[in-house]
Amino acid sequence: MEKNPLDILRIGIFYDGYYFYKVSNYYKYEHERKSRISISGLHDFIRSEAASLTKTDIRQCRIIDAHYFKGRSSAKELGEKVQNERIFEDILMRENIVSHYLPLRFGDNNTVQEKGIDVWLALEAYELAIYKHFDILVLVAGDGDYVPLVRKLHTVGTQVMLICWDFSYHNENGDIVETKTSRQLQDEVFFAVPMHQRIDQNDNDLTKDLFVTERVQERSAALYSAKPDESAPETEELTSTIYSINPNGFGFIKDEECNNVFFHYSRVINCDFTDIKFGMKVKYTVETDEERSKREGAPRYRATKVALIN
């Protein structure tokens, strides 16, 4: 697909929001980079890839539309997290990304789940591809549920580029958490970009702008901290100070009854984990860590809803 010198290559980008959230948290807390993915940097990378694939001048490669789809808790459920979500929404708006939200639903074991996001993304992507005549639709996702969308897009002449990541790490329970891109989805698209491979090649020309700089991270520290809570019964709110912090995304709160209670970065609710330092005052609740308790044969606990006290 080679463009006429006078033509514009029309690009539309569609984000599976929770997928992108997981990727960004992985690079911030689990990967050696210790930095979040930059949306503006990712968009520049996409334009460069599109130019290379189509033998088009990068100046002709234009992102004419971008959309972000994610489940969201109600304002009542979020409490202090509302501000953090709004910070991220401001960033999306600055990059001209349209946000689409559906309410989170309670699923099995009283956990919060996304329902219908992939269907909504697929419907909007297909309709807008026809209406706005995308040459390339970029899908930031990894789920095989998007295969029918890709096939339909091909019938209307829109090629699909897949931006995807494969990675694994140990969560707060010590279990391996793995994110892998659907092989069928990769086979269906016009071009799949395995971002984990590109990033780990340490090619500065390719990835130097893919990560948020330290200065920007400090300015937007709460960027992604509004993670949907795994709901738990209300418990007494406690107050103490930070006993220790590990840069890999966990720490301990001084608590004599629980022998210094463990907390994970995903349990911080009103700031970014990197804002928390030794000796800072926090409020939190405590729940039983079922997995550790079983492994160690004695009650073990962890902190939830950890919030800094100003």
Side-chain angles (χ1 to χ4, degrees):
M1 181 170 58
E2 191 166 349
K3 300 292 289 182
N4 184 295
L6 299 178
D7 288 343
I8 290 176
L9 188 80
R10 302 169 67 85
I11 302 171
I13 304 177
F14 290 78
Y15 287 86
D16 182 322
Y18 188 56
Y19 176 82
F20 185 70
Y21 158 81
K22 290 192 298 181
V23 169
S24 185
N25 265 357
Y26 168 73
Y27 282 101
K28 176 62 177 176
Y29 296 114
E30 312 294 346
H31 194 271
E32 62 184 13
R33 294 251 177 187
K34 301 301 179 194
S35 182
R36 296 194 182 281
I37 300 292
S38 164
I39 291 178
S40 61
L42 181 60
H43 285 193
D44 288 342
F45 178 85
I46 287 169
R47 291 178 62 236
S48 177
E49 288 294 298
S52 176
L53 281 171
T54 60
K55 299 180 175 59
T56 302
D57 190 315
I58 192 169
R59 293 172 296 180
Q60 296 172 249
C61 298
R62 303 292 178 86
I63 297 170
I64 63 169
D65 217 3
H67 296 260
Y68 178 91
F69 295 79
K70 193 173 183 294
R72 187 167 74 174
S73 300
S74 68
K76 182 178 179 181
E77 293 169 323
L78 280 172
E80 291 173 313
K81 290 185 178 181
V82 171
Q83 181 181 1
N84 299 332
E85 279 209 344
R86 296 305 176 266
I87 290 171
F88 182 50
E89 288 174 358
D90 288 346
I91 293 169
L92 294 176
M93 285 190 292
R94 284 200 297 270
E95 298 299 329
N96 296 316
I97 299 174
V98 180
S99 302
H100 304 263
Y101 296 105
L102 282 178
L104 292 168
R105 306 292 186 186
F106 286 100
D108 297 336
N109 300 321
N110 205 33
T111 57
V112 180
Q113 299 176 350
E114 286 190 331
K115 294 289 185 181
I117 291 295
D118 53 351
V119 175
W120 192 14
L121 187 157
L123 290 172
E124 289 289 328
Y126 182 66
E127 181 178 27
L128 288 170
I130 296 173
Y131 177 69
K132 298 194 173 184
H133 307 289
F134 298 141
D135 296 298
I136 295 179
L137 186 144
V138 179
L139 192 59
V140 183
D143 197 326
D145 288 348
Y146 294 114
V147 167
L149 166 65
V150 174
R151 291 173 177 170
K152 292 290 288 184
L153 288 169
H154 288 166
T155 67
V156 296
T158 298
Q159 303 283 15
V160 180
M161 177 191 296
L162 179 68
I163 299 293
C164 57
W165 284 264
D166 289 354
F167 56 87
S168 64
Y169 61 93
H170 289 84
N171 66 9
E172 59 185 311
N173 295 323
D175 301 321
I176 295 177
V177 177
E178 188 173 49
T179 295
K180 290 187 72 67
T181 306
S182 162
R183 173 54 58 185
Q184 187 179 12
L185 181 61
Q186 293 183 67
D187 290 342
E188 289 286 345
V189 299
F190 165 57
F191 186 65
V193 185
M195 296 297 293
H196 54 286
Q197 294 179 8
R198 294 291 187 91
I199 290 169
D200 290 343
Q201 287 171 358
N202 291 317
D203 187 333
N204 288 333
D205 289 337
L206 287 172
T207 61
K208 63 180 179 180
D209 296 322
L210 276 177
F211 292 92
V212 176
T213 64
E214 184 175 343
R215 178 177 61 82
V216 173
Q217 289 193 70
E218 290 173 354
R219 188 174 69 240
S220 304
L223 184 62
Y224 294 98
S225 58
K227 178 182 183 291
D229 260 341
E230 294 180 0
S231 297
E234 289 297 323
T235 57
E236 180 185 0
E237 190 172 74
L238 305 173
T239 300
S240 187
T241 57
I242 296 298
Y243 179 78
S244 66
I245 285 288
N246 188 301
N248 289 326
F250 64 89
F252 290 87
I253 299 169
K254 188 175 182 179
D255 190 309
E256 294 182 2
E257 290 188 19
C258 297
N259 190 26
N260 297 332
V261 65
F262 170 90
F263 73 98
H264 190 254
Y265 70 82
S266 62
R267 303 295 177 157
V268 177
I269 64 173
N270 72 337
C271 65
D272 192 80
F273 177 80
T274 54
D275 292 336
I276 300 177
K277 311 297 180 187
F278 170 78
M280 285 184 168
K281 196 172 183 179
V282 292
K283 58 184 179 181
Y284 61 102
T285 57
V286 173
E287 68 180 10
T288 302
D289 187 332
E290 301 290 351
E291 294 296 327
R292 284 186 62 211
S293 297
K294 289 178 183 178
R295 288 199 305 266
E296 299 178 19
R300 295 290 182 264
Y301 304 94
R302 62 187 173 195
T304 65
K305 299 182 180 179
V306 179
L308 282 178
I309 299 175
N310 296 325

